[in-house]
Amino acid sequence: MFFSKNTSSDPQTLRVDLLYTVYYEVFSIIGAYFLSYRIFPRLISSKENNWVWAELIAASYVISVIARITMVYGLEPFVRKENFEQESIIEILTDLPTLLGAYFLHILSLSIFFIFIKLIKDQYVIQKKSLLLEKQKAETELKMLKSQLNPHFLFNTLNNIYSLSIINSPITSKSIAVLSEILDCVLYRCSSTYVPVLQEITLINNYISLEKLRYDDRLSVTFNHQTDQNGLIAPLILLSLVENAFKHGAGEDVGSSPIIEIDLKLLNNKFEFIIRNSINNFGPESESGKIGLNNITQQLDKIYPENYTFDVTKTNTDFTAHLKINLTAYTVS
């Protein structure tokens, strides 16, 4: 900025221009950094600004005096012809109009440009940190929500497999393999924000096959799924709904023939999941059921804001959860 106006090709003139450029840059840097890192932060954060203003006035005077002395005794002897008169130190110290108009205002005007750029940069850094913190907070909350999944399924399944092993059932090894695949999916393959829908379908099928070990033929489970592509979806949400249906449907529907019906569709980037389970009576909803549904709603709010609908309906005979998600931005080939 200083040197762009200097277009002279004369070596002597160019040398003078270079000296003036270095001189003004040095004192502009001093003024800019002093204002940006010493004065402005304290003016913004401090309530008592009298001392800050006093320091600004005193420091500005000192910087202007040093700049004037440097000009008169350091720079002018190199650029002016011989036999010129120089101001004394006393004259420099007392010539306030020259210090204010020719030095302080000049240095301040150039410093303001730097301060403006720094303020923009600081605002960008603050905004970037804020977004990063918000993202980290959301990720932490999602991990906490995922960790709230009810572990009763794992304990029940292990007990069922243990019972099968006692009677040397031929499906024991298959059940262990299915459980191992579920754990691998939940612990490792579901660690990302989105997973393929086909992976979730496989997980639900494996879950259903293990839950059937707890019930005899009186339990009726149907799982229909139709997809025209392999979209991406938040992991474990569907499994939570299925788990809720087994726990509060078949698990509490004693003495009758419990029914669980699951329909999954992914057509034209529109995802729909409906799960209905029969219930034995129209009693108050358990606290654990409310927590599970609240957990699911919180995850949906964080991952699909304004891109989903989630409705639950309870009658005297059944409980239905209906989830719709617009997966336009979450598809894979």
Side-chain angles (χ1 to χ4, degrees):
M1 290 178 59
F2 284 109
F3 198 67
S4 61
K5 67 180 185 299
N6 301 321
T7 58
S8 175
S9 60
D10 179 62
Q12 180 63 24
T13 305
L14 187 60
R15 183 179 71 88
V16 173
D17 291 338
L18 284 173
L19 288 174
Y20 277 112
T21 297
V22 173
Y23 166 81
Y24 283 116
E25 281 187 355
V26 168
F27 283 97
S28 294
I29 289 172
I30 294 174
Y33 275 78
F34 172 72
L35 292 174
S36 298
Y37 292 95
R38 177 68 180 173
I39 299 299
F40 274 20
R42 296 164 64 200
L43 285 176
I44 295 175
S45 60
S46 178
K47 295 181 179 180
E48 298 294 335
N49 294 328
N50 293 335
W51 286 107
V52 181
W53 285 109
E55 181 180 346
L56 173 60
I57 294 172
S60 300
Y61 173 76
V62 171
I63 293 174
S64 299
V65 168
I66 295 175
R68 179 60 178 158
I69 293 175
T70 304
M71 170 68 77
V72 173
Y73 291 95
L75 185 60
E76 287 185 348
F78 289 95
V79 301
R80 297 180 64 177
K81 297 180 180 181
E82 296 181 359
N83 300 323
F84 63 91
E85 185 178 351
Q86 292 177 303
E87 296 91 335
S88 65
I89 298 297
I90 297 299
E91 290 176 329
I92 293 175
L93 293 175
T94 56
D95 190 3
L96 296 180
T98 302
L99 292 176
L100 176 63
Y103 291 90
F104 173 74
L105 292 181
H106 184 71
I107 293 174
L108 178 64
S109 63
L110 296 172
S111 301
I112 288 177
F113 179 78
F114 172 83
I115 295 170
F116 176 73
I117 298 298
K118 182 180 180 297
L119 290 176
I120 294 178
K121 177 224 174 190
D122 290 345
Q123 185 63 32
Y124 171 77
V125 171
I126 292 174
Q127 185 178 8
K128 188 175 181 180
K129 287 183 178 179
S130 177
L131 292 175
L132 180 61
L133 290 175
E134 185 176 347
K135 180 180 178 182
Q136 291 175 343
K137 179 183 177 182
E139 291 177 351
T140 301
E141 290 177 349
L142 282 175
K143 290 179 181 178
M144 292 179 61
L145 290 172
K146 290 178 181 179
S147 66
Q148 295 173 9
L149 293 174
N150 199 320
H152 83 282
F153 162 74
L154 177 61
F155 296 112
N156 288 335
T157 302
L158 289 174
N159 287 331
N160 293 330
I161 293 177
Y162 173 73
S163 300
L164 292 174
S165 65
I166 292 178
I167 62 175
N168 294 321
S169 172
I171 65 172
T172 302
S173 59
K174 179 181 178 182
S175 300
I176 294 175
V178 173
L179 177 61
S180 176
E181 186 174 349
I182 289 178
L183 293 177
D184 176 69
C185 183
V186 172
L187 296 176
Y188 300 105
R189 286 182 282 171
C190 291
S191 59
S192 58
T193 306
Y194 306 105
V195 297
V197 172
L198 295 182
Q199 176 180 307
E200 289 294 283
I201 292 175
T202 302
L203 179 61
I204 293 174
N205 277 323
N206 289 333
Y207 181 91
I208 292 173
S209 65
L210 288 183
E211 280 285 27
K212 283 184 175 180
L213 297 176
R214 300 175 55 193
Y215 307 95
D216 51 28
D217 294 337
R218 68 185 179 87
L219 173 63
S220 173
V221 181
T222 58
F223 180 26
N224 301 313
H225 49 84
Q226 181 182 3
T227 61
D228 61 359
Q229 64 196 86
N230 189 14
L232 294 177
I233 192 171
L236 303 181
I237 290 180
L238 303 183
L239 182 63
S240 299
L241 291 172
V242 176
E243 180 186 18
N244 187 73
F246 273 94
K247 180 180 180 181
H248 302 288
E252 298 177 357
D253 194 359
V254 181
S256 60
S257 299
I259 299 173
I260 297 178
E261 298 175 346
I262 307 172
D263 288 297
L264 184 153
K265 292 181 181 180
L266 175 55
L267 303 174
N268 298 322
N269 295 329
K270 304 296 182 181
F271 178 83
E272 185 175 13
F273 187 80
I274 303 174
I275 181 167
R276 184 182 71 87
N277 61 270
S278 59
I279 55 178
N280 195 29
N281 54 64
F282 187 69
E285 185 179 357
S286 65
E287 190 65 27
S288 61
K290 293 180 180 179
I291 294 175
L293 294 176
N294 290 335
N295 186 346
I296 294 171
T297 303
Q298 290 179 49
Q299 293 191 57
L300 291 170
D301 285 337
K302 294 180 181 301
I303 301 176
Y304 302 107
E306 300 180 358
N307 282 307
Y308 83 95
T309 59
F310 179 54
D311 301 308
V312 294
T313 305
K314 187 175 182 181
T315 67
N316 290 326
T317 57
D318 58 47
F319 182 91
T320 304
H322 191 179
L323 173 63
K324 290 183 178 181
I325 305 176
N326 182 5
L327 295 181
T328 303
Y330 313 96
T331 57
V332 295
S333 57

